[in-house]
Amino acid sequence: MAGLMTLIILCLFTSLLGNVRSVSSVGHPNVLLIIVDDLRPTLGCYGDTLALTPNIDALAQEGVIFTRAYAQQALCGPSRTSFLTSRRPDTTLLYDVHSYWRKHAGNFTSLPQYFKEHGYHTVSAGKIFHPGIVSNHSDDQPYSWSEEPFHPPTQTHKQDPVCLGPDGSLHTSIYCPVQVEEQPGGSLPDIETTQFAVSWLQQRAEQLKEASEPFFLAVGYHKPHIPLKFPSQFLDLYPISSVPLAPNRHRPQGLPSVAWNPWNDLRWRADIAALNVSFPYGPLPDFYARYIRQGYYAATTYTDSLIGDLLDAVNTHFPDTIIAFIGDHGWSLGEHQEWSKFSNFEVATRVPFIISHWRQHKSSPFLGFSSLIPEMKKSGVYPRNKYHTFSQVGLLENYKRKDNYRFDYYKSLGLKFNSSGNTEFPRSLDLTMTSHDGLVELVDLFPTLVDLAGLPALFTCPRDSRQVDTCTEGMSLSPLLHLIQGGSIPRAFLTQGKTKGKDRLPDGVLSQYPLPVNHTSTIVKTVQLDSHLLHSVRVKKAVFSQYPRPGITPSVNPDSDQCHARDATVMGYSMRTLRYRYTVWFSFNGTILMSDWSHILAQELYDHKIDPQENHNVVDKAGYAHRLSYLHTQLRNGWQLAVSTL
């Protein structure tokens, strides 16, 4: 057996070396990084049976899905700074959106900067670095980009009152389906970002008549970040009657108050404020919870359609491109009675993470926004903001439509239509994905892309790396990707899972919600690497996230969701193993930005074997005492000792 395994590995890496030589002879591959704001794994390729995301699913079919990937902090600024420098928040010292890491912590090399310094032409479109002081009001120029970063002009209207309310007036709300042509500037930010990126790719292709430098293109999408502002037509994919509520829409038993996320950033919006929800624990009414969930899914499908245009341009013009797709953190959609991010729960820290080395297809598998919207208009859908109304309690009523309205695009997704012309859910959509169920983190992105592009590898940061410009606090996933995608592994060493209807999904493709009545789920097949092949690959025993609080109880001022680091008095460190999530809330000094590991204020322990939704804090259960001690030691040892070779 050992001889067979050795032969397999030798054959695999011989093949890989050959591939590397063929790439290097014509230059390094192009790299496309796609970042989606506030996106949790509400994607078909992750087994979400409600989500319609055909373009991201098509990308996933050509790559590898990491099903247990985690952000280092569930807040945009700290998370993006973390994965774009491959340093954790305790190294960047960025726990809020009020500091620039180069001046605040150290002159750490960024991901695009590294590619730029190694011969790549680097371009930014949309939201890559968090805007403002976090990136020095310049998107980290002149360090990171070869061109001036592109920001969509209509983003300046992100908080404008354009959302139709029950009084017939326009407000600033969370739930905000719109007619694009009627928006300030006549467009929406993510549409403009996609148009810029597609145009840039087309121009780049025309310029490259002869060999030239490869590119690193980063494209950042704002939606589904709130407000949930998107073309109203996308609501038709998600009839409100078929949008399920979160199955665990109650506060977990034994949840310490310091862990609670009171979703302050939603409460001031007109539609939420009108509900008069009590602070901090009052639940949203079920009827409006459905609308927020509907809006989140519709906004996600809208973004997926734009990504379809982007990927189609890559497929057309650049056949040898490494594509990485991530969300910057998750988002609670009513789980635990919470909304937004700002916590250490699984739903706030778990993210989609897909890597594909794209090879050109003669027939593009992508169908994007530019094709979809004209088809919708041709099919006769009325603009929602002219024909829909709200009842006195705020419920969205049915809107007028043509008797024979149909969307050919919907049909292409496998959608059916009933006698009333309403959409039903897709039936028997068949997806085949390759997934890895091991633990990975967003800090792994930087070293992984460096290795896949054939650039000099990063070395692991020492414990104190403040004076080290370039290193990683993550781990390259390229050896694992080479094993999975190398093509030399016999089929006997691959395992396959399949789900249909209401059957349990494979462990690596986790369904978040129970299926609606009469809903036949997407069929998802996952081809997973057998653990026997991982004996020579470094893997993680645990991954880490953290979140600060200004006190042990929820508050509005200071904001316990987004407190200034100087106001933080508590830091919650959360460790996810394959079975457990263990979180400890320590005292924190916001002046010197340091935790007091000897002063524990609260603890949480969730056993995913019996409680995958994290509904029961079992930290005080006697049967977990020994495990708790072991996990506490593991948490204190940190990320440096969490990597091993099987």
Side-chain angles (χ1 to χ4, degrees), residues 606-623:
Y606 303 100
D607 185 347
H608 276 247
K609 184 175 181 180
I610 60 174
D611 180 26
Q613 295 177 347
E614 299 182 345
N615 295 328
H616 305 280
N617 181 10
V618 296
V619 73
D620 293 326
K621 301 293 184 182

Side-chain angles (χ1 to χ4, degrees), residues 313-485:
V314 171
N315 184 72
T316 300
H317 301 295
F318 295 97
D320 185 22
T321 302
I322 294 169
I323 303 176
F325 173 91
I326 63 170
D328 59 351
H329 46 69
W331 214 80
S332 296
L333 280 171
E335 294 86 2
H336 311 119
Q337 204 171 297
E338 293 186 343
W339 301 88
S340 200
K341 46 228 180 186
F342 316 130
S343 83
N344 283 321
F345 275 125
E346 183 86 356
V347 288
T349 58
R350 182 168 171 252
V351 297
F353 193 156
I354 301 168
I355 293 183
S356 173
H357 196 158
W358 188 259
R359 305 296 185 184
Q360 190 176 45
H361 290 239
K362 292 182 179 179
S363 177
S364 175
F366 306 112
L367 180 58
F369 182 87
S370 61
S371 300
L372 169 60
I373 289 298
E375 195 67 35
M376 286 181 168
K377 292 179 178 178
K378 184 174 68 176
S379 299
V381 176
Y382 293 101
R384 278 185 179 271
N385 63 351
K386 289 184 178 179
Y387 285 89
H388 81 254
T389 59
F390 287 85
S391 70
Q392 291 182 347
V393 295
L395 287 171
L396 188 64
E397 298 176 347
N398 291 331
Y399 64 97
K400 299 177 182 179
R401 64 177 86 199
K402 291 183 177 179
D403 291 338
N404 62 349
Y405 118 88
R406 293 289 188 272
F407 290 164
D408 291 340
Y409 177 76
Y410 291 0
K411 290 181 180 179
S412 74
L413 298 178
L415 289 173
K416 309 296 182 182
F417 297 85
N418 61 28
S419 58
S420 301
N422 296 317
T423 58
E424 295 177 353
F425 285 89
R427 299 184 180 278
S428 300
L429 295 182
D430 198 340
L431 306 175
T432 301
M433 308 291 171
T434 301
S435 68
H436 174 59
D437 295 345
L439 299 165
V440 302
E441 301 172 278
L442 287 184
V443 285
D444 300 335
L445 175 72
F446 190 161
T448 299
L449 291 182
V450 164
D451 285 358
L452 293 177
L455 303 182
L458 303 184
F459 64 85
T460 302
C461 295
R463 286 189 176 272
D464 184 355
S465 63
R466 288 173 293 181
Q467 304 303 316
V468 182
D469 289 350
T470 308
C471 62
T472 177
E473 292 183 353
M475 181 185 76
S476 175
L477 304 175
S478 61
L480 182 64
L481 288 165
H482 290 330
L483 276 177
I484 295 174
Q485 296 186 309

Side-chain angles (χ1 to χ4, degrees), residues 149 191 203 226 394 396 480 528 616:
I191 296 174
Q203 293 175 15
I226 59 173
L396 188 64
L480 182 64
Q528 300 164 335
H616 305 280

Side-chain angles (χ1 to χ4, degrees), residues 34 53 267 298 315 327 399 510 607:
I34 304 172
T53 52
R267 293 177 184 271
N315 184 72
Y399 64 97
L510 304 176
D607 185 347

Side-chain angles (χ1 to χ4, degrees), residues 68-370:
R68 290 192 177 106
Y70 295 88
Q72 277 46 76
Q73 187 175 327
L75 182 63
C76 300
S79 176
R80 289 168 184 261
T81 299
S82 175
F83 67 71
L84 288 170
T85 62
S86 199
R87 314 288 181 110
R88 297 168 191 269
D90 275 352
T91 299
T92 66
L93 299 180
L94 185 67
Y95 311 106
D96 54 26
V97 294
H98 304 297
S99 302
Y100 179 41
W101 83 88
R102 293 188 190 273
K103 297 178 180 178
H104 187 59
N107 189 31
F108 306 141
T109 301
S110 74
L111 169 58
Q113 177 187 357
Y114 193 81
F115 274 80
K116 180 183 176 185
E117 292 174 349
H118 287 82
Y120 273 72
H121 187 87
T122 58
V123 180
S124 171
K127 184 178 179 181
I128 303 302
F129 286 100
H130 193 80
I133 188 58
V134 178
S135 54
N136 204 32
H137 298 285
S138 66
D139 290 293
D140 194 43
Q141 286 294 76
Y143 300 99
S144 289
W145 308 109
S146 304
E147 303 179 10
E148 180 180 355
F150 173 82
H151 289 286
T154 57
Q155 182 63 13
T156 59
H157 303 290
K158 64 180 181 179
Q159 304 295 5
D160 284 9
V162 298
C163 314
L164 187 63
D167 59 357
S169 300
L170 297 178
H171 302 273
T172 299
S173 302
I174 292 298
Y175 185 84
C176 193
V178 300
Q179 188 69 11
V180 174
E181 294 82 357
E182 297 178 1
Q183 295 309 292
S187 188
L188 291 173
D190 289 339
I191 296 174
E192 293 176 317
T193 293
T194 304
Q195 290 171 341
F196 170 85
V198 169
S199 176
W200 187 90
L201 287 166
Q202 292 170 342
Q203 293 175 15
R204 185 73 174 176
E206 293 172 359
Q207 295 168 359
L208 295 183
K209 303 303 182 183
E210 299 179 0
S212 183
E213 58 185 352
F215 65 76
F216 177 96
L217 172 62
V219 182
Y221 289 95
H222 288 273
K223 300 305 159 192
H225 191 288
I226 59 173
L228 298 170
K229 187 190 304 180
F230 53 87
S232 59
Q233 291 93 337
F234 286 90
L235 286 179
D236 292 284
L237 288 170
Y238 301 98
I240 193 65
S241 61
S242 53
V243 176
L245 295 168
N248 56 335
R249 55 189 183 278
H250 306 286
R251 289 176 61 204
Q253 297 179 15
L255 182 74
S257 60
V258 69
W260 178 252
N261 153 31
W263 35 280
N264 289 328
D265 62 333
L266 270 70
R267 293 177 184 271
W268 67 269
R269 315 276 176 161
D271 53 345
I272 304 300
L275 299 172
N276 293 316
V277 179
S278 62
F279 180 88
Y281 301 119
L284 277 184
D286 283 353
F287 81 87
Y288 215 77
R290 290 186 191 275
Y291 283 106
I292 295 179
R293 290 171 62 85
Q294 179 200 39
Y296 186 94
Y297 275 87
T300 299
T301 299
Y302 158 58
T303 298
D304 175 84
S305 72
L306 293 169
I307 290 172
D309 284 331
L310 175 64
L311 295 177
D312 183 64
V314 171
N315 184 72
T316 300
H317 301 295
F318 295 97
D320 185 22
T321 302
I322 294 169
I323 303 176
F325 173 91
I326 63 170
D328 59 351
H329 46 69
W331 214 80
S332 296
L333 280 171
E335 294 86 2
H336 311 119
Q337 204 171 297
E338 293 186 343
W339 301 88
S340 200
K341 46 228 180 186
F342 316 130
S343 83
N344 283 321
F345 275 125
E346 183 86 356
V347 288
T349 58
R350 182 168 171 252
V351 297
F353 193 156
I354 301 168
I355 293 183
S356 173
H357 196 158
W358 188 259
R359 305 296 185 184
Q360 190 176 45
H361 290 239
K362 292 182 179 179
S363 177
S364 175
F366 306 112
L367 180 58
F369 182 87
S370 61

